[in-house]
Amino acid sequence: MNILHLDSSPLMAHSVSRQLTAKLVSQLQQQNPNATLTYRDLAQNAPSHLSYSELGAAQQDPSEWSQTLRQDVATAKAILAEFLAADAIVVGAPMYNFSIPSQLKAWIDRISVAGTTFKYTETGPVGLLSGKTVYIVSSRGGLYGSANAMDHQEAYLKTVFQFLGLSDVQIIRAEGVNMGDSLRQQALQAAQQDIAAVAA
């Protein structure tokens, strides 16, 4: 098994999603002692946002690329290769302003590649991937549930991965973590139980 572990919260040691992704990855490794692990911290090593230059790089002679463009293209290739090689993808995804951190969105822009992870057909887009399990570790300061009109975090992430052909998308959620110590502890305990169940 190849495990790809992503964190996107800039809160570092204070991050709920980081705490939970670490627990989930640890359990997956215990169950798969020979698994390889690739870790990418999208907050500390954030990919740049897509630029006009990067989108047009394929139409240019690489000798004409700036140093910044070379770095952006290399990062994009590395991100895509890590994603394609992974069997299990653990995504730490806190809710920020009803959506996801922009660093995580920049990563998604590097894995959503027409002709590689999806394609357009006469009947619409088709995902080109299969055989991967995606674990979305979701943290939320408030209470939103799973079908709330204000949720552009979990719903968006599920849509992205399903668009790429990945139907096995599992949500581990801790919400209400900023609504007092009692709710925070309840949320963490519930998420840890979900992690135990998912890993089992």
Side-chain angles (χ1 to χ4, degrees):
M1 174 185 280
N2 293 326
I3 302 169
L4 176 59
H5 177 186
L6 303 168
D7 280 323
S8 62
S9 171
L11 291 179
M12 309 312 292
H14 303 286
S15 166
V16 169
S17 63
R18 285 176 182 268
Q19 175 183 335
L20 295 174
T21 60
K23 287 183 180 296
L24 176 56
V25 168
S26 176
Q27 287 211 21
L28 291 173
Q29 288 179 304
Q30 287 176 24
Q31 290 186 324
N32 302 274
N34 296 321
T36 61
L37 175 65
T38 300
Y39 178 67
R40 184 171 285 270
D41 190 325
L42 298 171
Q44 289 197 307
N45 259 320
S48 63
H49 295 293
L50 279 178
S51 65
Y52 176 81
S53 297
E54 189 175 345
L55 288 171
Q59 280 70 51
Q60 289 183 311
D61 186 323
S63 65
E64 299 175 356
W65 293 354
S66 68
Q67 184 59 33
T68 297
L69 180 55
R70 290 178 192 278
Q71 292 173 346
D72 288 345
V73 170
T75 297
K77 287 182 177 180
I79 285 173
L80 182 59
E82 291 168 357
F83 177 64
L84 293 176
D87 302 301
I89 301 142
V90 177
V91 182
M95 176 185 274
Y96 284 174
N97 300 314
F98 314 113
S99 187
I100 60 174
S102 63
Q103 297 94 330
L104 180 53
K105 174 59 169 64
W107 178 85
I108 288 170
D109 288 338
R110 291 344 193 270
I111 65 164
S112 304
V113 182
T116 302
T117 55
F118 73 95
K119 65 179 179 180
Y120 292 110
T121 71
E122 293 180 354
T123 56
V126 175
L128 298 177
L129 303 182
S130 63
K132 302 177 187 293
T133 301
V134 180
Y135 302 95
I136 297 171
V137 179
S138 165
S139 60
R140 300 160 158 196
L143 297 173
Y144 299 91
S146 60
N148 189 298
M150 299 173 78
D151 171 21
H152 305 284
Q153 171 214 20
E154 291 178 8
Y156 168 70
L157 289 170
K158 287 181 72 174
T159 297
V160 166
F161 290 113
Q162 289 171 354
F163 180 82
L164 302 181
L166 302 179
S167 58
D168 189 2
V169 180
Q170 304 185 35
I171 304 287
I172 295 160
R173 180 187 306 122
E175 63 177 358
V177 298
N178 291 337
M179 298 177 66
D181 289 341
S182 177
L183 271 177
R184 183 185 181 91
Q185 289 308 312
Q186 289 177 31
L188 289 173
Q189 289 173 6
Q192 289 166 4
Q193 290 173 358
D194 288 344
I195 287 172
V198 164

